[in-house]
Amino acid sequence: MVMEKIIPILLAGGAGSRLWPVSRDDLPKQFQPLTGEMSSYQETLRRVGDPKVYDAPIVITNEAFRFFSRRQAEAAGHPATVVLEPARRDSAAAVAVAAVMAERRAGSSLVLALAADHLVLDDDLFTRSVALGAEAARDGKIVVFGLKPTEPRTSYGYIRPGTAINGNPDLALVDAFVEKPNAEKALDYLSKGYLWNSGNFLFRSDVMIAEFRKYAPEILDAAEASVEKASHDLGFVRLDQESFERAPKNSIDYAVIEKTREMAVVTGHFRWSDVGSWDAIWEVLDRDEKDNVVYGEGMALNASGCLIHSEGIYTTLVGVEDLIAVSTRDAVMVVPKTRVQDVKKLVDEMKSRSVPQAEGHRRSHRPWGTVDSVVDGARYAVKHITVDCGGVLSLQKHMHRSEHWIVVSGTATITIGDHTRLVTENESVYVPVGVVHRIANEGKLPLELIEVRTGSYIAEDDTQRIEDIYARV
């Protein structure tokens, strides 16, 4: 008997401010390589990449990450349909959209909804759990994946397994589903055999739609209308904004999961983390004989129980215990492991003071590549620009600044005014104030160049786009 394929849905629109300064609003944790060479988003795509088991994935994210999410999917070798949410409405609306889209692709489809920012360390055990859960999902159950707790965490929801299904102790009906408890209740749940809720679900599309219609009809109505009126833009599916914004903000847990009677749970034996804070990163990475983790360039001397996460700055800790030290190109944070939950408060305070590092990275991603702000002065700025193969910047001009471009590697096709020419390594060009210009990479290698801006006003909003292949005019 040939079984239908499972449609993976990746929920990739979250922020993750507890992992600042690496995770920020303009590029959150799911797109960051926090524990290896690939991001958790890419690892999740790879995990559901077997074409014998899974159909083509659907990624639900927001406008800001559209090009980057597609670029990372292609780099991981698993292209996906990218669906753009026009507003933040939490996970319930996203899951409703996923169910509606899957039902349109094939009626009564099996759907695996996954958080793109979670970490799974045992792919084979995860695959077994999905196969086991598929039995209950085909029979009309919404399946959640539970993990045996290792400690009384108050940041997770809990599940109480009930009667085993088909005599399998790892597949059971759900007796109780409870949201994040206090410390006393969490300890009690451990003693009674409750499981952590991993926040990933397997269900039949028609069953989830029916449960939304029963318990959260406003969210379903908004999801159906936003999909019905969706547009296709540069290969993305853009949900209708007016329809989608009618959805109340709510999580899938509160909207449906806590209310439905059609629940089953698989006890997963794979190692899992929602990597929701820096101590969770420390827990999942390999540690040395003194329980230290050094990720990137750094050293821990006469220290124990510490995490160093360094991006571009050599970072050291000496004679300390249980500290987290995180450094990026433009920010450094040091916090005791016992206070990592305060990082979100720190970010909120920085935002209230309009600290730019609270939300944005020094290195920003564009549809065509990246821009690294090396130096920013009052009347000058230096940028390191990388243009991907086939990338084309907009045809544009600036009214208050001139630009000098020096090609470091690759070959640039540069338009200045009415003239277009090739500029190769170690060559430079000058763009006067007010002159129309463009950079393109028509070669087979990435293009790197240094841009030096000078003028009375050098901010990004002094850019007048005339033409743009990414529809940003």
Side-chain angles (χ1 to χ4, degrees):
M1 178 180 178
V2 178
M3 304 304 290
E4 73 273 26
K5 293 182 180 181
I6 299 171
I7 301 176
I9 305 291
L10 274 68
L11 308 180
S17 58
R18 287 183 176 85
L19 289 177
W20 186 87
V22 174
S23 177
R24 305 186 196 180
D25 289 354
D26 70 343
L27 198 65
K29 65 175 182 174
Q30 61 266 27
F31 301 119
Q32 299 281 5
L34 291 165
T35 59
E37 294 183 0
M38 300 174 70
S39 69
S40 61
Y41 167 70
Q42 291 175 303
E43 290 283 5
T44 306
L45 282 170
R46 181 191 55 77
R47 194 171 301 114
V48 293
D50 186 346
K52 297 178 181 178
V53 179
Y54 298 102
D55 205 342
I58 298 173
V59 173
I60 301 180
T61 188
N62 64 50
E63 177 84 14
F65 313 137
R66 64 194 189 282
F67 292 105
F68 192 75
S69 61
R70 183 163 67 186
R71 188 185 308 162
Q72 278 209 343
E74 291 171 350
H78 298 286
T81 298
V82 179
V83 180
L84 304 179
E85 292 180 307
R88 293 185 184 274
R89 285 297 181 269
D90 213 329
S91 59
V95 173
V97 165
V100 170
M101 293 189 68
E103 182 70 10
R104 288 182 168 217
R105 183 183 289 187
S108 303
S109 296
L110 280 186
V111 179
L112 180 62
L114 300 171
D117 58 355
H118 289 186
L119 181 68
V120 172
L121 296 177
D122 306 290
D123 288 354
D124 55 340
L125 296 178
F126 174 82
T127 299
R128 290 182 201 174
S129 293
V130 172
L132 181 59
E135 299 176 17
R138 290 188 183 98
D139 289 337
K141 298 298 182 184
I142 297 174
V143 179
V144 63
F145 298 91
L147 287 305
K148 292 182 179 179
T150 57
E151 58 182 312
R153 286 284 184 98
T154 58
S155 56
Y156 296 156
Y158 284 74
I159 301 160
R160 186 175 72 209
T163 304
I165 298 175
N166 298 328
N168 192 324
D170 287 338
L171 179 64
L173 298 175
V174 172
D175 268 1
F177 184 98
V178 291
E179 259 304 316
K180 302 171 184 177
N182 58 32
E184 183 180 352
K185 285 187 176 180
L187 192 60
D188 181 52
Y189 292 158
L190 253 68
S191 67
K192 294 179 178 177
Y194 281 57
L195 303 172
W196 282 338
N197 171 26
S198 72
N200 301 294
F201 305 96
L202 179 62
F203 52 84
R204 244 176 42 207
S205 53
D206 60 321
V207 170
M208 182 60 79
I209 289 171
E211 296 304 283
F212 264 103
R213 199 171 304 283
K214 187 184 302 182
Y215 299 112
E218 292 180 346
I219 294 176
L220 178 63
D221 289 345
E224 288 180 325
S226 68
V227 172
E228 178 67 30
K229 299 176 183 178
S231 59
H232 293 263
D233 176 22
L234 298 175
F236 301 104
V237 178
R238 191 181 296 276
L239 299 173
D240 179 67
Q241 181 171 356
E242 182 180 353
S243 302
F244 190 78
E245 287 183 342
R246 291 202 298 266
K249 292 183 179 181
N250 205 349
S251 72
I252 182 62
D253 296 334
Y254 286 122
V256 174
I257 301 304
E258 284 191 350
K259 300 173 183 176
T260 182
R261 298 182 179 180
E262 303 299 329
M263 284 291 297
V265 59
V266 170
T267 299
H269 297 284
F270 51 89
R271 288 171 294 166
W272 164 90
S273 174
D274 70 348
V275 287
S277 55
W278 283 111
D279 59 331
I281 300 292
W282 175 82
E283 287 174 356
V284 301
L285 290 175
D286 293 333
R287 301 190 287 274
D288 65 16
E289 67 279 0
K290 293 187 177 180
D291 272 344
N292 295 313
V293 174
V294 178
Y295 183 94
E297 294 294 316
M299 179 187 297
L301 180 65
N302 297 326
S304 63
C306 296
L307 167 66
I308 293 174
H309 184 108
S310 171
E311 296 184 359
I313 299 177
Y314 198 87
T315 304
T316 61
L317 290 175
V318 181
V320 294
E321 297 179 355
D322 299 325
L323 282 184
I324 306 287
V326 185
S327 60
T328 65
R329 290 180 174 90
D330 63 346
V332 177
M333 181 196 68
V334 179
V335 61
K337 277 196 304 199
T338 56
R339 300 291 300 274
V340 291
Q341 296 302 324
D342 290 344
V343 174
K344 185 178 186 302
K345 297 178 183 177
L346 171 68
V347 175
D348 291 341
E349 179 64 22
M350 287 193 298
K351 288 180 178 180
S352 72
R353 300 185 186 188
S354 300
V355 177
Q357 289 89 341
E359 300 184 66
H361 287 270
R362 195 184 91 169
R363 186 170 185 253
S364 59
H365 293 266
R366 309 295 170 83
W368 41 262
T370 61
V371 177
D372 188 357
S373 297
V374 181
V375 177
D376 285 301
R379 293 178 59 90
Y380 68 94
V382 179
K383 312 287 183 180
H384 175 204
I385 297 175
T386 302
V387 184
D388 297 331
C389 299
V392 182
L393 280 69
S394 60
L395 187 67
Q396 58 186 257
K397 63 180 180 179
H398 314 291
M399 302 311 296
H400 302 283
R401 73 172 186 255
S402 60
E403 295 177 340
H404 301 256
W405 295 332
I406 306 165
V407 175
V408 178
S409 64
T411 300
T413 302
I414 291 181
T415 299
I416 300 177
D418 297 328
H419 302 284
T420 299
R421 54 174 284 206
L422 295 180
V423 182
T424 59
E425 290 184 18
N426 299 321
E427 294 183 335
S428 63
V429 295
Y430 170 66
V431 183
V433 173
V435 175
V436 173
H437 57 275
R438 167 181 274 165
I439 303 172
N441 181 6
E442 298 176 347
K444 296 182 179 179
L445 297 173
L447 166 66
E448 290 188 69
L449 52 90
I450 300 298
E451 175 186 275
V452 180
R453 301 177 181 179
T454 58
S456 60
Y457 186 77
I458 58 173
E460 292 296 333
D461 58 4
D462 181 32
T463 299
Q464 297 181 26
R465 291 192 177 102
I466 300 164
E467 295 176 3
D468 185 67
I469 66 171
Y470 308 107
R472 295 175 298 167
V473 175

